[in-house]
Amino acid sequence: MKLHRLSAPLRAASGLEIGQVLLFGGGGAVVGSEGGMGGGVVIGLAIVLVLFVVQLGWEILYVQRFAYTLTDDSLDIDSGVLSRRERSIPIRRIQNVDITRDPFARLAGLAAVAFETAGGGDDAEGEIRYVTTTEAERLRNEIQRLKRANDGGESDEASTSADVSRAETVEDTDEGREELFVLSTRDLLAASALSLDLRPLLPVALLVFEGTRYLPSGVASAVVGSPRLGVVLTAVGSFLASAAVTFARFYGFRLWRSGDELRYERGLVSRYTGSIPFEKIQHLVVSESLLLRRFGYAALDVETAGYGSQSAATRGSESVVPFAERGAVLALARSIEGFGFDTPAFSRPPKRARRRYAGRYAIAVVAMTTGLFVANRLFEFDPLRWWFAPLALLVVVPFAAHYTWLHRGVATDEGFVLTRNGFWRRTTEVVPYYRVQTVNEDHTIFQRRWNLATVVVDTAGTGSLGREGARAVDFDRHEADALRETVRRRLRRSVIERRMERRRRSSGS
């Protein structure tokens, strides 16, 4: 089958990088501005148009030579312009099928379909851009049906045929959909208001203190000449930017169960629809920022197997509940197949770990102050004249050390190991023993001085960017040894029990 005829212009528009536009278009505008501002703008737009036409020509050739075929066993994709690539993705290896509709694709009624396998990564040729939304849904439903048929085996063809027929009926009529969670407008606004994201802080600060210089002189002098006003504007701008990102990301979020997988849909500007097979869920992450904890809310993510680095949306970690009351989050987490955990009492690191945190935070404050002092000597940036301000943080160092210690812990029961870390954003990770890949005990040169160690429990979902596994941090070396052996022993036992259970099911069928 072929891509939609509008795929070429959509791919060309998305293929133009902002860096290319700024470099070539902006350079042309500057060169052409010698004959007047209007001439510079015209030349800049002309260069951008030429870039688009070149990109469009390439994409037309790419779309014409792109073909895909879905068979009973594999998804075959043939692509390439100068060099051809024939790729066959086994159906049984496909772990996730994500559907993305960016703004232009939504206007055209099209969608992009991405297929994630156990290999992970960001391979663009594991993606079909673009097809109609009906074709995208058909591909995802058909792949799910084929996976069910393959998992049914060949030993009982009649049973498999019946299961496949039921699956087709469920998918075609959507009668088997079980709604699990819907983010209401009220909760979305609350989640946006309570979002605590510091990433917009630096760009907003640069915009406030540097961008206002180009505004009328009265406004510029009011902001630049008053650091307090600049700080207030930076804080308000960062809050609004963070809230806007959260609102756009989770707008219209809903989660439902379809067969043996979870499905979700979200997004205001770009619409994402993804699937999460139950069998690929490695462990759960309950996260609570400081503000969420204060008002009794939390979020739930699942870590899935087979992802490398992050791709278009979030890879490796998928949001299942972006914002809800903590009790509801835990209830939904326990309803996920294989995760009927209790909430045992957490044991904390030894109290001497607090002294280690206090020393580390004090060193960080001094280093920050030193860096600002050097920057103040090298650059003329008005806020840097307050380089000594971070020294005030030394007052809160003991409290920061205490609360870091207070929110760390580990707990074990017969089926799961749970770890907890973080004050500003506390995360509780729930790992079933049968999902454990490795159990490592680490102790840095600084930990050895305090006779402390960290136990890291890795699953197949913790190889993605930024994921380090469930971590019991800064426990006494003897406690860490005991925890590591407990997890290893229960891992072996759980694997044996699951193997015996599969044999019983196989013999019973």
Side-chain angles (χ1 to χ4, degrees):
M1 299 185 69
K2 292 289 188 177
L3 300 179
H4 194 274
R5 61 181 181 275
L6 294 179
S7 296
L10 289 176
R11 291 176 61 95
S14 63
L16 279 181
E17 299 181 358
I18 187 65
Q20 294 176 332
V21 174
L22 293 177
L23 178 61
F24 294 103
V30 171
V31 172
S33 63
E34 297 179 358
M37 182 61 69
V41 172
V42 170
I43 291 178
L45 292 177
I47 292 177
V48 173
L49 179 60
V50 170
L51 290 175
F52 174 77
V53 171
V54 172
Q55 187 77 21
L56 177 61
W58 177 267
E59 295 297 345
I60 289 175
L61 294 175
Y62 183 89
V63 169
Q64 288 179 344
R65 296 175 63 82
F66 187 100
Y68 65 94
T69 304
L70 182 62
T71 68
D72 291 340
D73 301 317
S74 65
L75 174 66
D76 302 326
I77 299 177
D78 297 338
S79 61
V81 179
L82 299 180
S83 60
R84 298 290 292 168
R85 182 180 185 187
E86 298 179 0
R87 184 177 183 189
S88 181
I89 307 175
I91 295 296
R92 67 180 183 277
R93 295 294 185 187
I94 297 178
Q95 299 189 11
N96 214 35
V97 182
D98 291 346
I99 299 175
T100 305
R101 290 173 289 163
D102 57 51
F104 295 109
R106 292 174 69 180
L107 289 174
L110 303 181
V113 189
F115 305 92
E116 300 290 345
T117 65
D122 297 335
D123 194 338
E125 297 195 339
E127 184 180 44
I128 298 177
R129 291 190 307 152
Y130 292 87
V131 293
T132 63
T133 54
T134 302
E135 172 66 7
E137 292 287 349
R138 186 195 72 83
L139 283 171
R140 183 174 62 182
N141 294 337
E142 188 70 7
I143 287 174
Q144 185 188 49
R145 182 188 71 80
L146 292 172
K147 287 184 65 177
R148 286 173 175 169
N150 291 337
D151 291 341
E154 301 177 355
S155 60
D156 192 351
E157 295 183 1
S159 175
T160 300
S161 299
D163 290 342
V164 171
S165 177
R166 284 195 299 271
E168 287 177 323
T169 302
V170 168
E171 294 297 346
D172 290 342
T173 64
D174 211 25
E175 293 176 355
R177 174 179 297 186
E178 178 187 355
E179 200 84 67
L180 298 178
F181 177 79
V182 176
L183 186 63
S184 65
T185 303
R186 174 180 174 274
D187 285 343
L188 176 60
L189 292 173
S192 302
L194 296 177
S195 60
L196 191 63
D197 192 346
L198 299 179
R199 283 175 292 184
L201 187 61
L202 181 59
V204 171
L206 292 175
L207 179 64
V208 168
F209 286 100
E210 292 297 319
T212 51
R213 296 180 184 273
Y214 302 97
L215 295 177
S217 58
V219 178
S221 60
V223 175
V224 177
S226 175
R228 293 181 182 178
L229 179 58
V231 169
V232 171
L233 291 177
T234 299
V236 173
S238 300
F239 166 75
L240 293 177
S242 176
V245 169
T246 301
F247 186 90
R249 181 183 179 189
F250 293 115
Y251 176 83
F253 184 97
R254 59 193 184 97
L255 175 78
W256 67 93
R257 175 171 182 160
S258 179
D260 55 359
E261 64 183 20
L262 294 173
R263 291 190 180 181
Y264 65 90
E265 186 176 24
R266 64 174 176 86
L268 176 62
V269 180
S270 296
R271 198 72 179 160
Y272 301 100
T273 305
S275 58
I276 309 172
F278 285 115
E279 64 178 6
K280 303 306 178 185
I281 298 177
Q282 300 299 301
H283 69 276
L284 307 181
V285 182
V286 179
S287 59
E288 309 157 87
S289 68
L290 179 61
L291 289 177
L292 292 184
R293 288 203 310 273
R294 175 65 180 82
F295 292 97
Y297 291 98
L300 176 66
D301 296 340
V302 297
E303 291 290 331
T304 53
Y307 296 115
S309 59
Q310 293 184 344
S311 59
T314 52
R315 290 272 60 88
S317 180
E318 300 284 357
S319 180
V320 172
V321 179
F323 180 85
E325 293 184 356
R326 192 173 190 275
V329 169
L330 293 177
L332 194 147
R334 295 188 180 101
S335 70
I336 296 177
E337 184 177 330
F339 285 89
F341 62 94
D342 295 324
T343 308
F346 284 86
S347 59
R348 297 192 183 97
K351 292 184 177 180
R352 63 179 181 273
R354 287 186 297 193
R355 299 196 297 273
R356 176 173 180 258
Y357 303 149
R360 187 169 61 184
Y361 294 155
I363 293 173
V365 169
V366 173
M368 183 191 305
T369 305
T370 303
L372 292 176
F373 172 77
V374 173
N376 182 50
R377 294 292 184 180
L378 296 177
F379 306 105
E380 293 184 3
F381 186 44
D382 193 63
L384 289 177
R385 62 192 177 94
W386 301 89
W387 60 268
F388 51 86
L391 291 176
L393 295 175
L394 292 175
V395 177
V396 301
V397 161
F399 301 97
H402 172 73
Y403 282 105
T404 299
W405 170 83
L406 187 67
H407 290 274
R408 277 184 169 164
V410 66
T412 58
D413 61 14
E414 291 302 313
F416 304 87
V417 55
L418 297 86
T419 64
R420 186 174 66 190
N421 292 285
F423 169 68
W424 295 107
R425 182 178 180 272
R426 188 175 70 186
T427 58
T428 303
E429 309 211 19
V430 184
V431 184
Y433 291 120
Y434 69 90
R435 290 297 193 189
V436 174
Q437 297 283 316
T438 60
V439 187
N440 301 320
E441 182 178 335
D442 301 331
H443 35 85
T444 67
I445 186 174
F446 303 104
Q447 286 179 312
R448 288 199 295 269
R449 179 176 177 272
W450 297 90
N451 197 30
L452 301 174
T454 297
V455 178
V456 182
V457 181
D458 279 325
T459 66
T462 54
S464 58
L465 184 65
R467 298 299 311 150
E468 299 179 282
R471 304 167 72 240
V473 182
D474 286 337
F475 278 80
D476 183 87
R477 288 285 297 276
H478 298 293
E479 294 181 29
D481 291 340
L483 174 62
R484 182 188 59 190
E485 292 305 317
T486 297
V487 174
R488 286 179 175 175
R489 183 175 65 254
R490 292 179 178 175
L491 166 62
R492 290 192 292 267
R493 186 178 66 185
S494 65
V495 169
I496 294 173
E497 290 175 351
R498 288 180 64 83
R499 188 177 301 161
M500 294 176 63
E501 179 65 22
R502 284 196 297 267
R503 288 178 179 175
R504 284 195 296 268
R505 291 179 181 178
S506 179
S507 60
S509 60

